[in-house]
Amino acid sequence: MRYLSLFLLAILFCLTSCKKTETYIDVDTMVSIIIDSKKAEVLVQSVYSEDADKENILKQFNNDILEKYNVTSQAYNESLDYYMNNPKQMSKLVDCLKQKNIKLNVD
């Protein structure tokens, strides 16, 4: 009985100390989101003249784009952080965008 208690305690400790696995948006979905966002940005820049209008409309477009892919802004931002901190994954993302002739403007 004593060994069973120690065994169960060890399993409980192991389960509680395991880290939550990080989830992020897959490369293909990120590419689609970025492409749609770039299209929206070009549209807004070419159609609207007032900067305040541009900012608000672009924000709405981006919200609609995330909704289209069933992604929250938090999940998108966390995924963007993931890609920025994982060079191999970011390289895959950039390569996919290059194949589709999408240029990123990184400030």
Side-chain angles (χ1 to χ4, degrees):
M1 184 67 167
R2 180 177 170 170
Y3 292 109
L4 180 61
S5 296
L6 287 174
F7 178 72
L8 292 174
L9 185 61
I11 289 176
L12 180 64
F13 176 75
C14 186
L15 290 175
T16 58
S17 66
C18 292
K19 291 183 179 179
K20 177 185 166 190
T21 56
E22 290 186 41
T23 58
Y24 57 91
I25 301 168
D26 63 275
V27 171
D28 292 333
T29 304
M30 280 297 284
V31 166
S32 296
I33 291 170
I34 291 169
I35 289 171
D36 286 354
S37 293
K38 292 300 273 181
K39 287 178 182 177
E41 183 180 335
V42 169
L43 176 69
V44 168
Q45 292 296 332
S46 64
V47 173
Y48 297 95
S49 60
E50 295 293 323
D51 286 339
D53 290 341
K54 287 180 184 180
E55 187 175 323
N56 291 331
I57 292 167
L58 188 57
K59 185 182 255 185
Q60 185 58 50
F61 271 129
N62 285 328
N63 288 337
D64 292 343
I65 290 165
L66 292 178
E67 188 176 309
K68 173 183 173 181
Y69 293 99
N70 295 319
V71 172
T72 64
S73 59
Q74 179 180 352
Y76 177 77
N77 290 330
E78 288 174 0
S79 295
L80 204 50
D81 287 343
Y82 168 81
Y83 285 105
M84 296 295 278
N85 292 313
N86 291 282
K88 287 183 181 179
Q89 294 298 322
M90 181 58 121
S91 179
K92 289 179 187 178
L93 182 66
V94 170
D95 288 345
C96 288
L97 289 166
K98 283 180 182 176
Q99 288 175 357
K100 297 181 184 277
N101 282 331
I102 303 298
K103 294 180 182 176
L104 296 176
N105 298 332
V106 180
D107 296 333

